[in-house]
């Protein structure tokens, strides 16, 4: 019957001096008692607040590619906690990469999650890491080398995030000139800022022309701006120095 409400709503309980009684003359347009309306309103606000917070995520990636076709850098994936004890988005490191990727807890600006750091990851391992890090497979990344040219293609799916609820940035440095990209080229470092509610595609084609040390220097600058610890920067500089020493020894041997 039009206008008929379910039984639990059809005959609502009302407060009286003697306790609870049923209202027999209920109409569809009758409002809830004020205390009950206030509780319902507060409940709805609490639900909306949880949903809003759960949509706030931070994804920061700072990567550098060397002339040896190796990738180093860090990835941060975190979110604002929606409940007590929330540790952020769950991430998966497949067993074959467990000894190549270092994971640590990330807590900053109210966000909680994980920070992953890695050094000298092969192109194939980097693709494997990105594609298996979450069960939803929201991320994709692949590299291809052809002569002095290296190309990167990838994507990030943020369609499940509401607008204005994400802090996302991807930075990638190459040891040579950037021939083509759909990102912002900042002197050899390409930057993307994916928007929530959409799928963002990444692509770069670079030409290896510089020494491998340039990429390491850029990497230190990139991840340093992302609040990487001093120890990690010192490690990068040490590896850079070691590589230059080896190159000099090899040149002398010839």
């Amino acid at each position: 019957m039009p206008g008929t409400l379910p039984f639990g709503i059809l005959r609502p309980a009302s407060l009286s001096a003697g306790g609870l009684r049923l209202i027999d003359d209920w109409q569809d347009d009758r409002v809830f008692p004020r205390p009950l309306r206030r509780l319902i309103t507060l409940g709805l606000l609490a639900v909306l607040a949880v949903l809003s917070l759960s949509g706030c995520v931070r994804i920061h990636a700072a990567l550098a590619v060397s002339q040896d076709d190796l990738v180093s850098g860090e990835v941060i994936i975190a979110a604002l906690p929606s409940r007590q004890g929330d540790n952020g988005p769950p991430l998966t490191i497949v067993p074959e990469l467990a000894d190549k990727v270092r994971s640590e807890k990330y807590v900053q600006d109210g966000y909680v999650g994980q920070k992953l750091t890695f050094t000298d990851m092969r192109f194939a391992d980097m693709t494997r890491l990105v594609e298996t890090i979450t069960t939803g497979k929201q991320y994709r990344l692949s590299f291809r080398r052809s002569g002095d040219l290296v190309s990167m293609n990838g994507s990030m799916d943020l369609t499940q995030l509401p607008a204005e609820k994400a802090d996302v940035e991807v930075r990638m440095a190459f040891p040579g000139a950037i021939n083509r990209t759909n990102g912002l080229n900042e002197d050899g470092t390409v930057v993307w800022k994916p928007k929530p509610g959409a799928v963002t595609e990444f692509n770069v084609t670079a030409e290896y022309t510089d020494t491998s040390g340039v990429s390491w220097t850029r990497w230190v600058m990139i991840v340093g701006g992302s609040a990487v610890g001093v120890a990690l920067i010192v490690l990068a500089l040490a590896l850079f120095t070691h590589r230059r020493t080896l190159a000099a020894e090899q040149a002398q041997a010839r």
Side-chain angles (χ1 to χ4, degrees), residues 176-242:
I178 304 298
N179 292 348
R180 179 181 59 85
T181 181
N182 65 345
L184 177 63
N185 183 6
E186 297 181 351
D187 189 26
T189 297
V190 186
V191 182
W192 296 268
K193 294 187 177 182
K195 300 298 183 183
V199 176
T200 299
E201 300 284 341
F202 312 114
N203 66 71
V204 178
T205 299
E207 184 174 0
Y208 288 164
T209 55
D210 297 341
T211 64
S212 59
V214 174
S215 183
W216 275 101
T217 305
R218 285 205 185 112
W219 179 71
V220 172
M221 295 172 64
I222 293 169
V223 297
S226 301
V228 173
V230 175
L232 194 57
I233 295 178
V234 171
L235 173 62
L237 291 173
L239 289 171
F240 164 55
T241 303
H242 178 64

Side-chain angles (χ1 to χ4, degrees), residues 8-70:
I9 301 178
L10 179 62
R11 305 188 65 192
S14 177
L15 291 173
S16 67
L20 291 172
R21 65 182 178 82
L22 293 177
I23 299 177
D24 294 326
D25 58 346
W26 169 260
Q27 300 295 327
D28 288 358
D29 60 351
R30 185 177 293 273
V31 297
F32 289 108
R34 182 172 296 175
L36 185 57
R37 292 204 312 271
R38 186 172 300 169
L39 289 174
I40 293 174
T41 301
L42 290 175
L44 289 175
L45 288 175
V47 171
L48 290 175
V50 169
L51 291 175
S52 176
L53 288 177
S54 63
C56 296
V57 302
R58 169 173 287 176
I59 304 172
H60 287 177
L63 312 176
V65 179
S66 75
Q67 279 190 321
D68 301 323
D69 295 344
L70 301 173

Side-chain angles (χ1 to χ4, degrees), residues 66-234:
S66 75
Q67 279 190 321
D68 301 323
D69 295 344
L70 301 173
V71 184
S72 302
E74 74 166 27
V75 175
I76 294 170
I77 301 181
L80 293 179
S82 59
R83 62 187 183 281
Q84 187 174 6
D86 190 349
N87 293 319
L91 303 182
T92 301
I93 307 299
V94 292
E96 58 266 32
L97 299 179
D99 61 339
K100 301 178 181 179
V101 181
R102 176 179 160 219
S103 175
E104 59 183 294
K105 187 174 182 179
Y106 175 86
V107 179
Q108 188 172 324
D109 302 328
Y111 290 89
V112 294
Q114 296 183 57
K115 180 173 71 174
L116 309 179
T117 56
F118 41 87
T119 304
D120 287 349
M121 291 270 286
R122 296 182 306 167
F123 284 170
D125 290 338
M126 196 66 206
T127 297
R128 176 76 169 150
L129 173 67
V130 171
E131 293 183 349
T132 59
I133 198 170
T134 62
T135 56
K137 298 184 181 300
Q138 297 99 326
Y139 315 113
R140 182 179 60 84
L141 188 68
S142 64
F143 295 87
R144 186 170 62 87
R145 173 78 179 267
S146 177
D148 288 336
L149 294 178
V150 61
S151 60
M152 183 280 297
N153 289 279
S155 66
M156 181 178 294
D157 185 352
L158 301 180
T159 54
Q160 299 302 314
L161 292 180
E164 308 301 329
K165 292 298 182 182
D167 173 20
V168 185
E169 183 177 83
V170 177
R171 289 178 171 267
M172 191 172 299
F174 292 84
I178 304 298
N179 292 348
R180 179 181 59 85
T181 181
N182 65 345
L184 177 63
N185 183 6
E186 297 181 351
D187 189 26
T189 297
V190 186
V191 182
W192 296 268
K193 294 187 177 182
K195 300 298 183 183
V199 176
T200 299
E201 300 284 341
F202 312 114
N203 66 71
V204 178
T205 299
E207 184 174 0
Y208 288 164
T209 55
D210 297 341
T211 64
S212 59
V214 174
S215 183
W216 275 101
T217 305
R218 285 205 185 112
W219 179 71
V220 172
M221 295 172 64
I222 293 169
V223 297
S226 301
V228 173
V230 175
L232 194 57
I233 295 178
V234 171

